[in-house]
Amino acid sequence: MSECENDPAVFSSDTLPSDLRFMATVANGYLGTRIYSDVMHMNGVYNGEGGNCCRADIPSTVNIRLTVPDESTAKKTYTLNTRTGTFYTTKETKDFLVTQQIFAHRSQVHLMVLTISVERMAISKKPFTVEIKSLFDPHSQNIDFMRGPDFMEAMYIHGETLIPEVKDAARQSVHMISMPLPESLTLLPNERRGSWQFLTAVADTEEQAKECFVEGQILVQSDQLYSSHVSAWAALWSGSCISLRGCRKLNQALWGCLYYLLSALPPVKPTDFQYIGLSPGGLSNGGNGEDYFGHIFWDQEIWLYPVVLAFYPQLASILLKNRIRTLPAAKSIAAQQGYLGAKYPWESAVTGYEVCNEDIYGLKEIHINSDISFAFQQYFNLTQDLEFFRKEGGWDVVCSIAEFWSSRVTWNPSEMCYDIKGVMPPDEYQSDVTNSAFTAVGAKYSLQFATEMASHLQIEVPSEWMKIAEKIKVPFDPEKQYHPEFDGYKSGDVVKQADVVLLGYPLMYPMSPQLRKNDLVTYEAVTDPDGPAMTWTMFAIGWLELKDSTRAQQQLNKCFNNIQEPFKVWSENADGSGAVNFLTGMGGFLQTILFGFTGFRITKNCLLFDPIIPEDIDELQITGINYLGNVLLFQLAKEQATVVLTQCYEVHGMALEIVLQDSGEIFVLDKDQPVSFCLGPGKIQTRCHTDSSELSAK
């Protein structure tokens, strides 16, 4: 373990957090648990109807405590290795080293693994015994588990959730096979080292649980269980990594954020299960009354999705496919509320129906619709994957959201515009306003993108969509030269979280630099200092866009108050309250680096960049940026940028090129051939798009 002490991706401590909510988590998109928690969670398994719906607790088989001889003198170390997705607990004496290892297998996603190892540190003829206290209880408050016949000498339990999410729907099944834990393990006098592996297989059918358990046992016998897990994580990191030189604190935070996000996602390769989506607390959290119950919000599309899209468009499409899958429910909600098209729930679980426990959010916070449409738009701009819209249901979602907005607006004859009345903006301190700026811009984009996509697909849509989009009112104060949050907003009123500042990024709503600055100054002064973690990252991105790195750093520094040591687990609020393992805050933090420091903006015809490197960073390297099926590596230093095309998408048959804004220089990107140039704005595009006007459009 000493080799990892200086590794920014490895978090070690000799003490545990006083609040065990801030323990590290291990997950793989299908199974997840918080270390030393008595439960784990399974993708898509919820219990409870409507607003009572939460992730169903499955008893954890890896929640154990080890006791060694001379326990009081043993040196204890707790380590999360984010490179390998593994948590270690070690106890070391002058004679022995005992290691407890826990991981959710990255490629064999139905497996949760516990390994106990004992190693002699000195020559001894005495046996060494480790006592095991298991806290496993084969019961759940959400699932009616019962014991079945043992399988391969392992315990088999199975059950169904108690209450379905929707009345009269089928209850969800869970089948678990786990190796029994002995009360102790002994290293014999003639043994130098011993290692014992304990598997748990979880699935939604008995057959699959047994198959996965057998596959795990084969990996154990061939000594490939852990190495295959490590290899899967290595492959994941090779395709998505942000690292820097010059600020260890920031570097550690980045490794932690990206680890927790990736561990909440399924494997990149096709899986045998239907992934449900990203919730604010990740897969390991979200039980009854905690961490938003494991529900899926706008957090997925606005705060987490951009990072996933940039690194792994395949995973981004999986998130979108879940919105496609739940479109029938969204259409039903729209019809119930008297509107056309589809109205997505503010909070969703498996069925796609509303599961928020307070009606006002589902009725009023309707920007969720345009958040989803914008995610589809960004996917198309980055991939040009027209077949996704033509054949896989993408168009149905985009069209249905446009239909909703066309029926949701109200014509205002006095101002000759369309109003959107009775909404809750992202600033949830307001619950019934007219013309929320963020909601209005999102609605405009939804209608415009649907019209554009219809043209690509040669589908006829109402011409009124574009007319409505052009006439939707976005509040603007010509005297103060800023965007009021909504009609009637009083300058100085406290705002809960990032709202109007989201117009500049991620929405890229056209405005002058001065107007962008005015919005930032106005809302920075009135945003609740106790607001949720992700807020300050959007201010930081705004200031980076305006090349004010000092003010950007001030905002970014606020985020460190939400990072709980020693395992870099985020809390929703700086005082530790709210959701834990708060992926939403992590997503905003990652976007500050990925889109703020680099200036990346995904547009219709190109990938814009405009880097700025803060003083405390010597070099920033981002591995795995996707664009039109190609993969790029960016290395940014104080004065120079280097881009390497690491993977080519041959199907396009068109080379990528870099066009610099200030000089007009053009560099063709050839595979594995670095291209370097002075730090400054530019764009990456296919060689068939040589018009440089896009640069000024930013």
Side-chain angles (χ1 to χ4, degrees):
M1 301 298 294
S2 59
E3 297 177 1
C4 299
E5 285 181 359
N6 294 317
D7 188 341
V10 178
F11 312 142
S12 287
S13 174
D14 58 4
T15 59
L16 296 175
S18 57
D19 186 341
L20 293 183
R21 294 184 308 137
F22 302 126
M23 281 299 296
T25 62
V26 292
N28 57 23
Y30 186 78
L31 291 175
T33 189
R34 191 163 61 214
I35 301 299
Y36 296 143
S37 168
D38 57 2
V39 301
M40 56 183 173
H41 293 129
M42 176 177 165
N43 165 75
V45 178
Y46 291 82
N47 180 71
E49 184 178 352
N52 294 316
C53 169
C54 66
R55 291 197 189 278
D57 290 347
I58 299 171
S60 173
T61 56
V62 297
N63 182 22
I64 69 166
R65 304 293 188 274
L66 301 181
T67 303
V68 301
D70 301 322
E71 175 79 19
S72 61
T73 63
K75 177 185 177 182
K76 302 176 182 65
T77 306
Y78 309 94
T79 301
L80 173 67
N81 187 330
T82 66
R83 293 187 190 275
T84 64
T86 309
F87 188 87
Y88 302 85
T89 300
T90 63
K91 295 185 177 183
E92 184 176 2
T93 70
K94 60 182 178 62
D95 296 319
F96 295 94
L97 173 65
V98 178
T99 303
Q100 174 185 333
Q101 184 186 62
I102 298 171
F103 59 92
H105 201 288
R106 185 62 219 175
S107 56
Q108 301 292 326
V109 295
H110 295 271
L111 298 180
M112 187 71 72
V113 182
L114 166 67
T115 299
I116 300 172
S117 302
V118 181
E119 182 178 358
R120 292 185 187 274
M121 307 300 289
I123 298 174
S124 174
K125 294 183 179 181
K126 295 181 179 180
F128 181 82
T129 299
V130 178
E131 295 181 358
I132 303 172
K133 181 181 180 181
S134 172
L135 301 179
F136 174 73
D137 178 359
H139 299 94
S140 167
Q141 62 177 336
N142 310 123
I143 302 170
D144 59 349
F145 278 115
M146 62 184 69
R147 185 81 180 255
D150 287 357
F151 177 73
M152 295 178 64
E153 299 182 349
M155 181 180 64
Y156 167 50
I157 64 172
H158 60 93
E160 293 182 335
T161 52
L162 302 178
I163 304 171
E165 180 185 328
V166 177
K167 190 175 181 180
D168 298 327
R171 296 187 294 162
Q172 295 167 291
S173 298
V174 177
H175 296 258
M176 183 165 74
I177 299 172
S178 59
M179 296 175 64
L181 284 165
E183 293 183 357
S184 64
L185 294 169
T186 299
L187 193 66
L188 298 176
N190 60 340
E191 293 177 322
R192 177 75 180 178
R193 189 178 190 279
S195 182
W196 298 265
Q197 293 175 311
F198 302 93
L199 296 182
T200 298
V202 184
D204 58 6
T205 67
E206 178 181 356
E207 180 183 12
Q208 189 175 43
K210 289 179 176 179
E211 287 178 359
C212 294
F213 187 80
V214 170
E215 290 171 1
Q217 290 285 29
I218 292 172
L219 289 172
V220 170
Q221 293 164 9
S222 61
D223 198 26
Q224 293 181 335
L225 182 66
Y226 183 60
S227 62
S228 59
H229 166 73
V230 171
S231 295
W233 265 106
L236 199 61
W237 284 118
S238 70
S240 54
C241 190
I242 306 173
S243 59
L244 54 85
R245 289 193 296 108
C247 182
R248 180 176 173 80
K249 181 180 179 182
L250 177 57
N251 208 12
Q252 287 183 312
L254 290 172
W255 276 99
C257 288
L258 202 48
Y259 162 75
Y260 288 118
L261 174 56
L262 291 174
S263 65
L265 289 163
V268 178
K269 295 180 180 179
T271 63
D272 59 3
F273 68 95
Q274 180 175 268
Y275 183 69
I276 298 302
L278 288 165
S279 59
L283 182 56
S284 303
N285 298 299
N288 189 21
E290 299 176 342
D291 313 304
Y292 296 105
F293 301 86
H295 297 166
I296 300 158
F297 290 70
W298 75 311
D299 305 50
Q300 175 175 268
E301 278 77 19
I302 294 297
W303 299 100
L304 299 168
Y305 175 88
V307 178
V308 179
L309 176 63
F311 285 128
Y312 288 112
Q314 313 97 304
L315 292 178
S317 72
I318 290 174
L319 298 178
L320 299 182
K321 285 175 183 177
N322 190 52
R323 296 301 192 181
I324 295 171
R325 180 184 64 82
T326 57
L327 179 60
K331 286 185 173 182
S332 176
I333 294 171
Q336 290 171 8
Q337 295 181 2
Y339 300 110
L340 300 177
K343 158 62 178 69
Y344 279 89
W346 178 240
E347 299 181 28
S348 62
V350 177
T351 66
Y353 285 96
E354 184 65 68
V355 291
C356 183
N357 58 9
E358 295 185 59
D359 291 343
I360 190 170
Y361 296 99
L363 292 171
K364 300 289 186 178
E365 203 152 1
I366 59 175
H367 63 77
I368 182 68
N369 255 23
S370 46
D371 302 335
I372 292 169
S373 179
F374 187 66
F376 277 81
Q377 180 179 345
Q378 291 294 85
Y379 176 79
F380 180 68
N381 288 345
L382 189 85
T383 66
Q384 294 296 303
D385 182 5
L386 198 58
E387 292 303 288
F388 181 79
F389 293 86
R390 179 181 285 120
K391 295 182 178 180
E392 297 188 49
W395 164 248
D396 297 329
V397 171
V398 170
C399 176
S400 297
I401 289 175
E403 288 176 333
F404 171 81
W405 286 119
S406 72
S407 68
R408 185 61 175 77
V409 297
T410 303
W411 178 248
N412 182 339
S414 63
E415 295 190 40
M416 297 298 289
C417 67
Y418 284 100
D419 291 335
I420 302 177
K421 297 180 177 181
V423 303
M424 177 184 286
D427 170 19
E428 292 171 332
Y429 290 165
Q430 307 293 334
S431 61
D432 189 12
V433 305
T434 297
N435 296 329
S436 150
F438 179 78
T439 306
V441 171
K444 276 179 177 284
Y445 284 6
S446 299
L447 291 160
Q448 291 167 346
F449 178 55
T451 303
E452 175 192 334
M453 183 52 63
S455 177
H456 285 303
L457 298 175
Q458 298 183 323
I459 295 173
E460 187 174 343
V461 296
S463 59
E464 286 77 12
W465 286 3
M466 283 301 288
K467 294 176 183 177
I468 292 171
E470 291 168 4
K471 291 288 187 177
I472 289 178
K473 180 181 178 181
V474 179
F476 174 69
D477 187 326
E479 292 184 8
K480 296 181 179 179
Q481 286 290 302
Y482 86 111
H483 292 102
E485 185 185 301
F486 52 85
D487 281 357
Y489 173 77
K490 296 179 181 179
S491 182
D493 281 357
V494 175
V495 174
K496 177 184 177 181
Q497 59 188 5
D499 190 314
V500 171
V501 295
L502 300 174
L503 301 190
Y505 176 87
L507 296 187
M508 296 176 280
Y509 187 61
M511 67 182 80
S512 68
Q514 185 60 53
L515 179 51
R516 179 79 159 118
K517 180 178 181 180
N518 293 348
D519 283 348
L520 289 166
V521 171
T522 297
Y523 292 104
E524 184 179 308
V526 298
T527 299
D528 190 339
D530 298 322
M534 67 279 192
T535 288
W536 317 117
T537 62
M538 293 300 110
F539 284 99
I541 291 174
W543 289 119
L544 288 166
E545 188 178 301
L546 297 175
K547 305 304 178 188
D548 191 334
S549 61
T550 300
R551 295 192 74 160
Q553 195 65 53
Q554 290 171 353
Q555 296 302 312
L556 191 62
N557 285 343
K558 294 178 182 180
C559 295
F560 288 98
N561 295 326
N562 296 74
I563 301 177
Q564 308 297 332
E565 299 297 345
F567 305 117
K568 318 303 176 189
V569 172
W570 282 56
S571 58
E572 182 175 11
N573 303 314
D575 63 2
S577 63
V580 297
N581 202 30
F582 190 50
L583 295 184
T584 310
M586 299 184 205
F589 193 81
L590 289 168
Q591 287 189 64
T592 304
I593 313 304
L594 195 55
F595 295 92
F597 286 7
T598 65
F600 289 156
R601 297 294 185 271
I602 303 166
T603 72
K604 289 182 182 179
N605 299 319
C606 67
L607 176 65
L608 296 173
F609 59 83
D610 189 6
I612 176 172
I613 303 300
E615 291 183 3
D616 61 344
I617 296 175
D618 298 322
E619 182 181 276
L620 172 65
Q621 181 168 299
I622 301 176
T623 304
I625 295 297
N626 277 257
Y627 184 60
L628 300 180
N630 302 279
V631 182
L632 303 159
L633 179 149
F634 286 80
Q635 195 170 40
L636 306 175
K638 295 294 186 184
E639 303 294 335
Q640 179 176 280
T642 299
V643 181
V644 183
L645 177 64
T646 58
Q647 293 181 39
C648 295
Y649 186 50
E650 304 293 347
V651 176
H652 275 271
M654 295 179 290
L656 291 182
E657 64 183 10
I658 295 173
V659 182
L660 302 185
Q661 175 177 303
D662 296 335
S663 66
E665 286 183 273
I666 297 176
F667 304 90
V668 176
L669 286 168
D670 294 317
K671 189 174 184 296
D672 297 326
Q673 299 300 309
V675 171
S676 298
F677 47 88
C678 293
L679 215 62
K683 63 180 177 179
I684 296 174
Q685 61 182 19
T686 58
R687 295 210 71 188
C688 61
H689 292 104
T690 55
D691 181 7
S692 61
S693 62
E694 178 69 35
L695 290 168
S696 60
K698 182 184 175 189

